[in-house]
Amino acid sequence: AQKITQTQPGMFVQEKEAVTLDCTYDTSDPSYGLFWYKQPSSGEMIFLIYQGSYDQQNATEGRYSLNFQKARKSANLVISASQLGDSAMYFCAMREGGGNYQLIWGAGTKLIIKP
Amino acid sequence: GAVVSQHPSRVICKSGTSVKIECRSLDFQATTMFWYRQFPKQSLMLMATSNEGSKATYEQGVEKDKFLINHASLTLSTLTVTSAHPEDSSFYICSASRASGKYGYTFGSGTRLTVV
């Protein structure tokens, strides 16, 4: 079964608009962490934001915020005031509490910002 | 901030030869290194996890004799693709883990391998 689901293979958004990228997860571990990464065409993985399962507040990092709905097992990424440079692949990933802390990855969403 | 230097960034090799990819953590000790493979327009696929001084743990379906991983020190891990074939052409990326917190993963910049 998919542990991380990103249902939007691709999205087109007008520059300066806000965009929400969906991510749902599945785990029975009470301790877990959720990550969002950006991967531009150059291939590097850029860390955007992190949400811990016990965090009371939704995480925010500049223009990025994470809409964490624990009961729904949802961790959507919100990018405010999108810019052309936001065009990239976006991956949601989860780390469960035990083991080697390996990340479980979603399929990704390709975001294209239109001028 | 933490940096992982990955080299080479691009390599073209002939079929049957071996290629070594290095990931070096520049300013921290990487207790665990993750090696991923990524096909075009797909997500990252974990190949193996290596802890310093221990044998790597390979994911199901990954040939350990073909993809040799060495993590001899806390700052260096290598992936050697032995007897490469065109189907090994892919993007390979490493990720070093420092801790279990939110800054626990630092990625290398990736290596694009083309086998001709």
Side-chain angles (χ1 to χ4, degrees):
Chain A
Q2 292 274 10
K3 286 205 165 190
I4 295 287
T5 302
Q6 293 182 254
T7 57
Q8 305 149 311
M11 286 188 72
F12 286 89
V13 171
Q14 200 68 39
E15 188 182 8
K16 298 182 185 176
E17 289 184 350
V19 56
T20 298
L21 304 181
D22 295 341
C23 174
T24 57
Y25 60 92
D26 184 27
T27 182
S28 57
D29 193 332
S31 175
Y32 55 89
L34 297 157
F35 298 75
W36 276 93
Y37 287 90
K38 172 184 178 181
Q39 187 180 39
S41 57
S42 57
E44 62 196 295
M45 297 295 289
I46 301 169
F47 166 76
L48 297 179
I49 198 164
Y50 167 84
Q51 182 84 43
S53 59
Y54 295 119
D55 292 345
Q56 296 295 317
Q57 306 278 350
N58 283 350
T60 61
E61 295 278 355
R63 292 189 299 115
Y64 305 106
S65 60
L66 201 150
N67 184 359
F68 183 44
Q69 298 191 39
K70 197 170 180 177
R72 294 185 179 183
K73 294 188 175 179
S74 165
N76 297 341
L77 175 72
V78 179
I79 306 173
S80 63
S82 58
Q83 303 170 356
L84 296 178
D86 293 333
S87 295
M89 282 291 291
Y90 287 80
F91 292 99
C92 178
M94 177 175 68
R95 182 203 65 231
E96 293 173 308
N100 261 326
Y101 304 115
Q102 62 191 64
L103 289 173
I104 302 164
W105 295 86
T109 295
K110 185 170 178 66
L111 176 65
I112 296 175
I113 308 298
K114 300 182 293 183
Chain B
V3 175
V4 170
S5 175
Q6 183 171 346
H7 290 283
S9 57
R10 289 179 181 272
V11 58
I12 301 172
C13 71
K14 290 186 176 180
S15 190
T17 62
S18 296
V19 173
K20 181 183 282 189
I21 301 169
E22 280 192 1
C23 276
R24 195 177 294 271
S25 55
L26 299 184
D27 49 3
F28 68 98
Q29 293 182 329
T31 52
T32 304
M33 191 72 78
F34 302 94
W35 285 94
Y36 294 95
R37 182 174 183 175
Q38 187 179 30
F39 291 106
K41 300 183 181 180
Q42 293 190 22
S43 187
L44 277 68
M45 181 184 76
L46 181 65
M47 298 175 67
T49 303
S50 72
N51 293 300
E52 184 264 339
S54 303
K55 286 185 178 180
T57 302
Y58 289 81
E59 295 299 301
Q60 194 172 8
V62 178
E63 298 176 61
K64 58 182 69 177
D65 294 331
K66 180 164 193 61
F67 298 100
L68 300 178
I69 290 170
N70 185 284
H71 193 168
S73 77
L74 286 170
T75 58
L76 177 63
S77 179
T78 61
L79 165 67
T80 301
V81 183
T82 62
S83 187
H85 288 97
E87 58 265 30
D88 299 324
S89 298
S90 192
F91 187 69
Y92 295 87
I93 191 165
C94 64
S95 171
S97 174
R98 293 177 289 154
S100 59
K102 69 177 183 179
Y103 300 116
Y105 306 94
T106 305
F107 285 82
S109 53
T111 297
R112 197 163 300 280
L113 170 64
T114 303
V115 185
V116 298

